[in-house]
Amino acid sequence: MVGVGKIPIDDAKVYLDGSLLLDAKVYVHIKGYSRARVTHVDVEHQSLKKVILPRHSDYPSVKWGSRVEISVKGHVIVIESETLGKIIKMDGNLYVGGKGKGIFLGFHKDQIRSLESFGESKGFPPIKRSS
């Protein structure tokens, strides 16, 4: 079951070191839903757990379009998605963090705004937390 505020990106294909990861799941996770403190992209597959351990991270440089190559910790993760290519436009560093089910991708303000606009179009506006 997908958590509330995690929007599936059904056209996404994920590769690790040249091999297609069958059953990989990609989500746009909107701030304020299902414990998200910031809007980000989740990439979930068991094989990705070995790339970056939970609570570890890297900050590689990427050029994002309908296909992005992320070189991290001696591995290459490729994500192909027309949907994400329309939402995310960037040429720079990307935060890649490990999590229990795979990895998450953190972005700069411009990309976060685009992801949150996408979330709003799907009925999930970001929720600001009160301190």
Side-chain angles (χ1 to χ4, degrees):
M1 181 162 146
V2 177
V4 174
K6 287 182 78 170
I7 305 163
I9 304 299
D10 294 328
D11 70 345
K13 292 182 182 170
V14 181
Y15 299 83
L16 176 59
D17 299 328
S19 296
L20 177 64
L21 299 180
L22 298 173
D23 302 323
K25 306 228 182 302
V26 179
Y27 304 97
V28 173
H29 194 167
I30 304 297
K31 175 183 179 175
Y33 297 92
S34 302
R35 300 183 318 185
R37 288 183 257 165
V38 66
T39 296
H40 60 279
V41 171
D42 286 327
V43 185
E44 298 179 354
H45 191 275
Q46 291 291 63
S47 296
L48 295 172
K49 290 170 63 171
K50 70 179 182 187
V51 175
I52 297 182
L53 298 173
R55 301 183 160 234
H56 289 78
S57 63
D58 202 358
Y59 201 57
S61 181
V62 301
K63 182 171 177 133
W64 198 297
S66 59
R67 181 179 193 280
V68 63
E69 285 189 24
I70 305 167
S71 296
V72 60
K73 306 282 187 190
H75 297 277
V76 177
I77 300 165
V78 174
I79 302 170
E80 294 177 346
S81 168
E82 291 295 325
T83 302
L84 287 178
K86 290 176 184 170
I87 300 168
I88 301 168
K89 307 285 186 219
M90 74 172 291
D91 188 357
N93 292 87
L94 171 73
Y95 184 90
V96 181
K99 64 180 210 130
K101 294 182 180 179
I103 62 171
F104 67 94
L105 308 176
F107 297 91
H108 298 279
K109 287 182 184 179
D110 290 342
Q111 293 80 36
I112 289 173
R113 279 190 212 106
S114 294
L115 290 165
E116 289 178 348
S117 291
F118 173 74
E120 286 176 10
S121 76
K122 301 293 184 182
F124 296 102
I127 298 172
K128 294 187 178 4
R129 301 219 181 255
S130 57
S131 302

